[in-house]
Amino acid sequence: MAGIFPCPLPVLDVKLEKYHLETTVARISVLSLMNTISSRKVTVEFFQAEPVSDVIKETSYKICFVDEAGAAISNENIYVADSRELETNKRFFRLQFMLKNQPYDTGKQYYLTITNVDSGMEIARRPMKIDIAIDDDLGIF
């Protein structure tokens, strides 16, 4: 078999990457459309945007009202976003806040804030006006 040269074999360079999923935390958002608060007792509706899963991790949020300087003017609610409900309508929730018994200036801005407890990062700051004509906790109607 003289004169026969072996054929070169093709070489394939194959790189495989392992399956990679980026994880994130469950997000929440404010649904209530109020811009002005007229009572010291305030109920706010929220929504957990997606269910907790392998890629969406539960997380905790601190939610409260603050003044322009960032000082808390209400109780703080801690909400754990841990719902695994696939149905959207089952991921709504309400929290109640009680504003401090103090005078509020209608010319100043106040805020509803949502802070990620683990990272300390503020994820939402919603401006509000406070105009409480009659303090309903004093028995005056």
Side-chain angles (χ1 to χ4, degrees):
M1 295 214 176
I4 299 178
F5 297 99
C7 294
L9 293 175
V11 177
L12 297 176
D13 187 19
V14 178
K15 291 183 181 180
L16 297 175
E17 289 188 27
K18 291 184 178 181
Y19 186 66
H20 176 72
L21 289 176
E22 194 68 35
T23 61
T24 186
V25 297
R27 297 172 296 131
I28 64 171
S29 58
V30 181
L31 290 180
S32 300
L33 296 175
M34 66 180 165
N35 294 323
T36 302
I37 297 170
S38 58
S39 172
R40 285 190 339 110
K41 187 176 181 181
V42 183
T43 301
V44 182
E45 190 169 17
F46 299 87
F47 175 66
Q48 182 178 320
E50 57 274 314
V52 169
S53 66
D54 292 340
V55 293
I56 307 294
K57 303 298 179 192
E58 78 174 48
T59 193
S60 298
Y61 294 99
K62 177 179 77 170
I63 308 167
C64 69
F65 287 91
V66 299
D67 62 15
E68 291 175 324
I73 58 168
S74 74
N75 60 305
E76 294 178 349
N77 281 304
I78 300 294
Y79 178 75
V80 180
D82 62 356
S83 176
R84 293 183 174 273
E85 288 290 341
L86 296 177
E87 293 182 43
T88 304
N89 63 344
K90 292 186 178 179
R91 293 194 310 269
F92 291 91
F93 61 97
R94 288 183 177 160
L95 296 175
Q96 206 161 45
F97 299 87
M98 185 61 85
L99 297 180
K100 290 182 178 178
N101 190 9
Q102 65 184 39
Y104 294 97
D105 185 341
T106 56
K108 289 189 177 180
Q109 195 72 64
Y110 300 92
Y111 303 91
L112 174 65
T113 61
I114 303 174
T115 305
N116 182 308
V117 172
D118 296 327
S119 70
M121 187 173 210
E122 187 177 287
I123 63 153
R125 176 175 283 252
R126 187 166 189 180
M128 302 278 172
K129 295 285 184 185
I130 299 178
D131 187 8
I132 301 173
I134 298 174
D135 191 346
D136 53 8
D137 285 349
L138 297 176
I140 304 170
F141 295 99

